[in-house]
Amino acid sequence: MSSAKPRKSRNKDQRDKKSANFKKRDNRQNVKNDFNSDDFVYGRHAGIDFLKTQEAEKINKVFLAEGVQEDFANEVYRYAKPKNLIVQRVPKSKLDRMVNGENHQGLVLTVASFEYTDLDQLLDKLDGQDEAPFLLMLDNIEDPHNLGSILRSSDATGVSGVIIPKRRASGLTSVVAKTSTGAIDHVPVARVNNLVQTCQTLKDRGYWIFGTAMEGEDYRRWDAKGKTVLVIGNEGKGISPLLLKQMDQTLTIPMIGHVQSLNASVATGVLLYQAFNSRHPL
């Protein structure tokens, strides 16, 4: 679908009001409810309206151009702060690239392309199943291609659900969907405010928490039977220190090559198949 263009009008105020830009939208009536095909909301009126009316779960990131009017910047912060949304100040040129040169007026929101699963509802559902659940928790995976690949491996290995943080991490976007080759429609993804608190909740519900660390036990000895959570760290920094303290056990993938690291999605795939083998032996 092509992006809608602002209609010509007699004056700037009218033009601004009619530029409720929602990238790739079908029509203006679908601006607030279409999360399946759209990645960006942009423009001052459209962006502020979205910040005011939508739940935080619908908004991945808020980008505000450097040098915008102070009154407008304060208005953006006023609606973003109560929802714990981080506002990133970026050059105008970055916003131009994000929306392919459309009139963003200094504000671009990246929004959820797919619905997230409520974690409590997911856990209640899994407690009612015969097989012990296996969950994957991702600590600030930033590359949407990595997230898409991880969802693909998760679907292949029977992961019960994936948990991601709301901030400083990739959300469910069209890039993630494309990379996952359809797995995004089959693997529940829950987005939470605090991974440390979520680990404590999972422990209270009988889950064992395993994470990746250089000094961990050889992953080939890992028995992933029972209610299990595997935590994968950030592409560069690994698992954050506070979250690492929540681990019941850490795992490592031994390597003999010159490059002593693996891509996050590759490492996740290796560990998921070890979990699969231990839970479903020949």
Side-chain angles (χ1 to χ4, degrees):
M1 290 181 289
S2 61
S3 299
K5 302 287 187 180
R7 295 179 181 178
K8 293 182 179 180
S9 57
R10 295 181 179 178
N11 57 59
K12 185 178 184 300
D13 290 338
Q14 288 177 324
R15 185 164 63 250
D16 287 345
K17 290 180 180 178
K18 292 185 178 182
S19 63
N21 301 311
F22 201 121
K23 192 161 183 64
K24 299 180 185 176
R25 70 187 186 274
D26 288 326
N27 54 60
R28 185 160 179 166
Q29 284 69 38
N30 290 334
V31 168
K32 296 180 182 178
N33 298 316
D34 181 6
F35 300 104
N36 294 319
S37 60
D38 298 284
D39 292 322
F40 303 104
V41 175
Y42 57 95
R44 296 196 176 192
H45 292 289
I48 292 296
D49 182 67
F50 206 88
L51 282 171
K52 288 167 60 177
T53 61
Q54 297 296 329
E55 298 176 357
E57 288 75 13
K58 302 295 186 184
I59 304 170
N60 290 327
K61 293 183 180 180
V62 180
F63 295 93
L64 185 64
E66 297 170 348
V68 297
Q69 296 173 335
E70 185 176 351
D71 289 346
F72 174 59
N74 289 338
E75 187 177 14
V76 171
Y77 283 110
R78 183 164 70 249
Y79 292 115
K81 185 175 180 180
K83 297 180 179 181
N84 294 317
L85 297 171
I86 295 178
V87 179
Q88 293 186 242
R89 302 301 293 264
V90 298
K92 176 180 176 295
S93 58
K94 178 173 182 176
L95 301 186
D96 293 339
R97 292 193 299 271
M98 290 173 69
V99 298
N100 296 321
E102 294 289 343
N103 185 21
H104 52 71
Q105 300 174 308
L107 178 63
V108 175
L109 279 59
T110 60
V111 301
S113 297
F114 293 82
E115 296 287 350
Y116 293 93
T117 298
D118 180 82
L119 180 60
D120 290 332
Q121 293 180 7
L122 174 62
L123 296 178
D124 290 341
K125 179 180 178 181
L126 294 176
D127 283 343
Q129 297 180 357
D130 294 334
E131 184 178 9
F134 181 94
L135 297 173
L136 181 63
M137 178 180 289
L138 305 178
D139 183 17
N140 297 332
I141 295 296
E142 298 175 340
D143 188 337
H145 296 91
N146 277 339
L147 179 55
S149 296
I150 288 171
L151 291 179
R152 187 174 182 178
S153 298
S154 298
D155 180 54
T157 54
V159 171
S160 307
V162 175
I163 302 170
I164 64 175
K166 289 183 178 180
R167 296 186 289 178
R168 299 183 178 88
S170 174
L172 299 182
T173 67
S174 58
V175 174
V176 174
K178 183 177 181 180
T179 309
S180 77
T181 62
I184 195 171
D185 295 321
H186 303 285
V187 180
V189 178
R191 198 161 64 154
V192 299
N193 285 316
N194 189 301
L195 293 180
V196 172
Q197 293 178 1
T198 299
C199 278
Q200 295 170 351
T201 298
L202 290 168
K203 287 183 178 183
D204 290 341
R205 299 185 71 137
Y207 284 84
W208 289 83
I209 316 291
F210 297 85
T212 53
M214 291 295 293
E215 66 279 4
E217 183 177 353
D218 192 318
Y219 84 100
R220 292 171 292 182
R221 299 190 182 94
W222 180 32
D223 184 352
K225 295 185 180 70
K227 301 175 73 171
T228 301
V229 180
L230 171 63
V231 181
I232 302 294
N234 171 268
E235 290 95 340
K237 300 177 181 178
I239 298 176
S240 57
L242 288 177
L243 185 59
L244 190 60
K245 292 180 180 180
Q246 297 295 317
M247 302 302 106
D248 293 308
Q249 183 179 346
T250 56
L251 308 167
T252 190
I253 301 174
M255 301 177 214
I256 60 175
H258 297 287
V259 180
Q260 293 295 302
S261 64
L262 291 174
N263 172 275
S265 63
V266 173
T268 304
V270 171
L271 293 167
L272 289 181
Y273 269 99
Q274 171 60 24
F276 178 85
N277 288 336
S278 70
R279 292 165 69 88
H280 304 278
L282 293 175

